[in-house]
Amino acid sequence: MLNINDLHFRYGKRSPLVLDGVDLTLHDGEIGVVLGTNGSGKTTLFKNILGILRPESGSIRFDGEDLLKMKRSERARRIAYVPQSIHFGALSVFDTVLTGRVSYFGYKAGREDEEAVWRILRDMRLEHFAARNVEQLSGGERQKIAIARALAQEPRMLVFDEPTGNLDIANEQLILSEARRVAREKGIGILTSLHDFNQALELGDRFFFMKDGKIRHEGGRGIVTEDVIREIFDAEVRIVEIEGKKIVINGGGKT
Ligand code: ADP
């Protein structure tokens, strides 16, 4: 379980607070979606969780252990980052995924590292890609390799910054369903940010609406309402239910 308490962060000593008392809890196997306008602090929050940035105050714990005090390799076994795109030069898929094991093997990969990679590739139905050069794959395939590489860290949680940002609809669906499978089958928590409310509703278990460096609303699907979206995004939407599914329509009903 990830537990963030009263987190404060600013980029420079005299800069304004970008995170201004963030509280967030995410359980194992849950998918949490952070929603907020551009510049609301989502990426900054993720970088604090991943240890890329250090907070001014507050705590980030995983199963009660202080992530801020952990070595990089210890943190990597708990939380892995899935970047939007991976640029590793001309590595094969196998070697790219193997680099995810670096916190385990240090200098040279051993047999168990290679076996772990094969297990993940098989599990994600990527074995036939193993010898291919990552650079030659499509955007969706590369994103899937990025997930495989993160899983090679054997983390308890994945942080995904805008996983569908650069993808077409078929690849979007592929990645969303892969994310869901990882959470459901492996009990790995996922914290992500998405711009599309309908993708968010499809994927998320918990929603965190962020504004001005704070989580303003948090909860299950029920908190995704026209009023909350208006408050956070200053935008009018209409929410309808079709076949029991909540659908967000841009533009609202004020004609
Ligand atoms: P989001 O991911 O929600 O779009 P960010 O976390 O990227 O938001 O940005 C939050 C705020 O921090 C913005 O005002 C942004 O301009 C500022 N910011 C982001 N990165 C830096 C940086 N490296 N140096 C200074 N300010 C930054």
Side-chain angles (χ1 to χ4, degrees):
M1 179 171 82
L2 176 73
N3 207 283
I4 300 176
N5 201 259
D6 204 22
L7 201 70
H8 290 76
F9 175 87
R10 59 178 104 227
Y11 279 96
K13 271 209 170 87
R14 289 188 187 78
S15 316
L17 281 166
V18 174
L19 303 179
D20 186 9
V22 170
D23 294 312
L24 184 153
T25 295
L26 194 71
H27 293 93
D28 294 356
E30 261 184 352
I31 302 180
V33 183
V34 182
L35 296 153
T37 55
N38 293 328
S40 58
K42 302 179 296 291
T43 302
T44 304
L45 173 63
F46 291 170
K47 286 183 174 168
N48 272 266
I49 295 169
L50 293 160
I52 299 166
L53 295 172
R54 283 198 81 79
E56 179 175 294
S57 63
S59 66
I60 308 177
R61 293 177 176 278
F62 201 89
D63 285 347
E65 290 185 285
D66 192 344
L67 278 180
L68 299 171
K69 292 197 178 128
M70 276 180 205
K71 283 194 231 143
R72 183 185 290 259
S73 59
E74 288 175 38
R75 198 168 41 225
R77 293 175 193 203
R78 289 162 178 87
I79 298 190
Y81 178 51
V82 185
Q84 261 193 16
S85 59
I86 41 176
H87 299 286
F88 286 115
L91 283 185
S92 69
V93 166
F94 186 88
D95 287 342
T96 301
V97 177
L98 190 62
T99 61
R101 301 283 305 168
V102 74
S103 64
Y104 291 88
F105 64 69
Y107 293 105
K108 196 173 181 314
R111 226 175 91 205
E112 66 271 36
D113 298 305
E114 293 183 352
E115 278 165 10
V117 171
W118 279 120
R119 227 175 12 251
I120 289 162
L121 292 180
R122 264 196 306 274
D123 194 35
M124 292 180 74
R125 295 176 206 286
L126 289 168
E127 313 110 284
H128 58 292
F129 277 133
R132 292 270 295 276
N133 182 334
V134 178
E135 306 275 296
Q136 289 162 1
L137 303 180
S138 73
E141 287 161 353
R142 272 212 298 273
Q143 178 75 298
K144 220 172 152 186
I145 305 302
I147 298 175
R149 180 176 182 270
L151 290 175
Q153 277 177 231
E154 293 181 27
R156 305 275 310 282
M157 178 169 283
L158 295 180
V159 172
F160 253 98
D161 205 357
E162 289 182 36
T164 57
N166 299 320
L167 303 178
D168 60 41
I169 184 161
N171 280 310
E172 233 172 64
Q173 286 170 357
L174 177 82
I175 293 306
L176 292 179
S177 71
E178 194 58 39
R180 212 174 294 119
R181 191 183 71 83
V182 163
R184 300 291 175 261
E185 287 181 14
K186 302 186 184 304
I188 291 179
I190 295 183
L191 189 63
T192 186
S193 63
L194 288 166
H195 279 296
D196 184 310
F197 294 118
N198 292 313
Q199 277 183 9
L201 281 165
E202 213 175 292
L203 186 70
D205 300 309
R206 291 198 75 72
F207 302 87
F208 304 93
F209 282 93
M210 198 167 178
K211 189 175 189 179
D212 301 330
K214 289 187 172 73
I215 306 286
R216 298 293 176 107
H217 299 276
E218 175 193 342
R221 276 185 184 72
I223 65 149
V224 182
T225 63
E226 294 170 1
D227 286 346
V228 167
I229 291 173
R230 184 182 306 112
E231 178 199 325
I232 301 292
F233 290 88
D234 197 21
E236 292 297 330
V237 298
R238 200 151 64 86
I239 297 184
V240 295
E241 252 187 57
I242 299 174
E243 293 173 5
K245 264 173 79 171
K246 243 179 167 172
I247 311 278
V248 179
I249 303 169
N250 281 341
K254 291 187 179 171
T255 46

